[in-house]
Each structure stands twice: as structure tokens, then as C-alpha cells.
Amino acid sequence: MCRLFGMTSAPSRVTATFWLLDAADSLAVQSRRDPDGTGLGTFTADGEPLVEKQPLPAYADASFATEARERRSETFVAHIRHASTGGLAMVNTHPFSLSGRIFAHNGVIEDLPGLDEELGPYRSAVAGETDSERFFALITKHIDGHGGDVTAGITEAARWVAEHLPIFAINIVLTTPTELWALRYPDTHQLLVLSRAPDTGRHLEHASPAGTVRVRSGELATAPAVVVASEWMDENPAWRPLASGELLHVDAELTVDSTVILDGPPAHPLTLADLGATAAASQASR
């Protein structure tokens, strides 16, 4: 299963250090079994997306995945890829950047020709082979169609996919320089949220149980933050799972809003048994 992580500390710009594969001594085991790519998305001080990513064919680039990456931003996205669609190439590695936004996805969408047809001219925005990048382009199409309303764009794109295409899961994290959105649909994979109080007196130190995606921020000992992750990342009891179909939005003032935008199952649900061997392996829980 791919690992998703998103965080916002807006309106505060904070420094956080990420390790996309936690321990060098675990890489020999972890990378041969799991990651096909790692990536981190942040925004520069002037609001430009900064995406750093690397495919990991044959665990080739261990240093990229294990070295500490200290970045300053209001919003952050990290992703560990287990390829379901598309080869091990930079253009297929998450996260993706388009129209000043950053996006990562965990799941499988099938019937890519049907998705391409729905994209129309937006198909030209897709550089790689993945269902994930295509879904991001579809979201972008609908955001543009709603005058820049990201919530409306995600809602319309997700509803179209749920109605028309075979899907296993479409869990996503999408960020702008100051805002974050997360969607869980359906309940195939978990996606959790933690609203972290500003007065904990404890720096942020999160690590996924699988030994992937570790993040630390001393500044978040005194500043609030909202974290979204595909796994419980510490013992805090305030973590809660998003419901199936729940779209979470954290605005530029760290106000959290949550709406169920899909209240039924997909029209064409997929199970692991329906997937090809590569896609099934990428989505199975580790």
C-alpha cells in the first residue's frame, strides 16, 4: 500500500525534516519489497511548488530516500509509491504538481481510455502513465470549471470517477501554498487526521509503523498543525479516521471543515482479486 502524508501549519511557515525511508539499515529489506518511488512536495516562500522525488528501481537511489530533507513551508506532502500503473520513472512518481498545486494519491482507477476521453484537452497536462496523474488532471479541469474552487473541483471529479469508472480506492492529499484537502473513498484504505493543539509543549515527531515517512519539527512544539496520514504515526489518541467519502479541507487559518461528498459505494467497485498482479501487490496492506 502506498503511504500518504500531508501536513499544514498555516498561517505559520515552519521548518520540518523528513526521512522518506526511515532507517538506512532497513532499506535492504524495505525497498526490495516495497517502494517504487519516494517524493516530498513543499512550497517556496513566494508560493512556488517544490517537488523532490525519485523512482527507486532495484532500490537504486538509497541516499535520496534515507537522507534528511529539511524544508520550510506552510503545507507539506510526502508519498511512498508502490506502483500499480506506470513504470518506475520520474514522471510516474508522486507527488505531482499542476497549476500551482501539489497532489498525491493512494489507490487504483481503471479504464484509463475512458478517463482520457473525459479529460479532453486536459489530457495534455499528463506527462506520465499513471491513473493518479490523470485523476489530478481531472480534478484540475473541474477546479478550472468552477472558477478556481478546489473543493468543488475535487467533489465533481471524484463523483464522476465513482459513477463511471472501476475503482479500488481514490484516497488523495492535495495542497496549495496555504491550504490542504484530503479525501478518503471508499473505505478500502484508511486515512487519518490529527488536529494538533498549539500548546502541547512537545515538538512534532511522527513515524509510520512501516518504517517509512518520518517527520520532525521543533517549531510545532508551540504552533498548531493538522496532519493527515495513511497510518497512525504516534500514540496521540486524537487521531481519527476519515469516513468513506469524507472530504477534509484545512484553510489558510487552519480552520478544519469536513463534508461527506460521496455517501454510497462506487458504481463499479474493484476488489484485490479484480486487479492485475502488480496493482494488487501495490494495494495490499503490508
Side-chain angles (χ1 to χ4, degrees), residues 132-148:
S132 303
E133 191 183 13
R134 286 172 166 86
F135 186 33
F136 187 23
L138 184 66
I139 289 171
T140 302
K141 172 184 175 179
H142 288 297
I143 291 172
D144 291 348
H146 284 275

Side-chain angles (χ1 to χ4, degrees), residues 3 22 206-215 231-233:
R3 269 74 182 185
D22 188 5
H206 284 330
S208 70
T212 59
V213 186
R214 181 162 64 96
V215 57
E231 303 169 278
W232 292 75
M233 296 187 72

Side-chain angles (χ1 to χ4, degrees), residues 12-234:
S12 299
R13 188 170 172 83
V14 301
T15 298
T17 303
F18 286 80
W19 295 260
L20 297 175
L21 290 178
D22 188 5
D25 60 7
S26 73
L27 184 65
V29 175
Q30 289 279 350
S31 62
R32 288 175 185 162
R33 186 181 63 220
D34 283 342
D36 296 313
T38 61
L40 176 64
T42 56
F43 289 88
T44 64
D46 58 2
E48 290 298 314
L50 174 62
V51 173
E52 302 164 274
K53 58 186 180 179
Q54 181 69 42
L56 294 173
Y59 69 103
D61 196 348
S63 62
F64 180 90
T66 57
E67 69 183 4
R69 311 184 82 79
E70 184 179 273
R71 297 293 178 264
R72 191 164 184 82
S73 188
E74 291 179 38
T75 62
F76 302 80
V77 178
H79 187 271
I80 308 296
R81 181 185 186 222
H82 310 292
S84 58
T85 306
L88 305 189
M90 189 75 76
V91 291
N92 294 329
T93 305
H94 302 230
F96 303 100
S97 176
L98 182 62
S99 297
R101 306 177 191 101
I102 296 174
F103 172 91
H105 167 237
N106 178 20
V108 176
I109 303 169
E110 292 193 345
D111 186 9
L112 298 190
L115 183 49
D116 285 343
E117 184 177 352
E118 180 66 13
L119 283 173
Y122 282 78
R123 177 62 178 85
S124 64
V126 179
E129 307 162 280
T130 66
D131 54 342
S132 303
E133 191 183 13
R134 286 172 166 86
F135 186 33
F136 187 23
L138 184 66
I139 289 171
T140 302
K141 172 184 175 179
H142 288 297
I143 291 172
D144 291 348
H146 284 275
D149 186 330
V150 176
T151 297
I154 294 173
T155 299
E156 190 164 335
R159 287 175 176 171
W160 187 89
V161 168
E163 181 179 353
H164 292 94
L165 300 182
I167 65 171
F168 185 72
I170 52 171
N171 287 10
I172 68 165
V173 173
L174 185 153
T175 57
T176 67
T178 59
E179 299 182 73
L180 178 148
W181 288 260
L183 171 66
R184 180 191 185 196
Y185 184 73
D187 58 1
T188 311
H189 296 314
Q190 67 180 0
L191 193 61
L192 303 133
V193 60
L194 172 66
S195 293
R196 205 167 180 277
D199 56 354
T200 61
R202 176 182 174 185
H203 67 267
L204 182 140
E205 182 85 43
H206 284 330
S208 70
T212 59
V213 186
R214 181 162 64 96
V215 57
R216 185 183 193 281
S217 175
E219 293 178 44
L220 290 179
T222 55
V226 177
V227 182
V228 175
S230 54
E231 303 169 278
W232 292 75
M233 296 187 72
D234 69 6

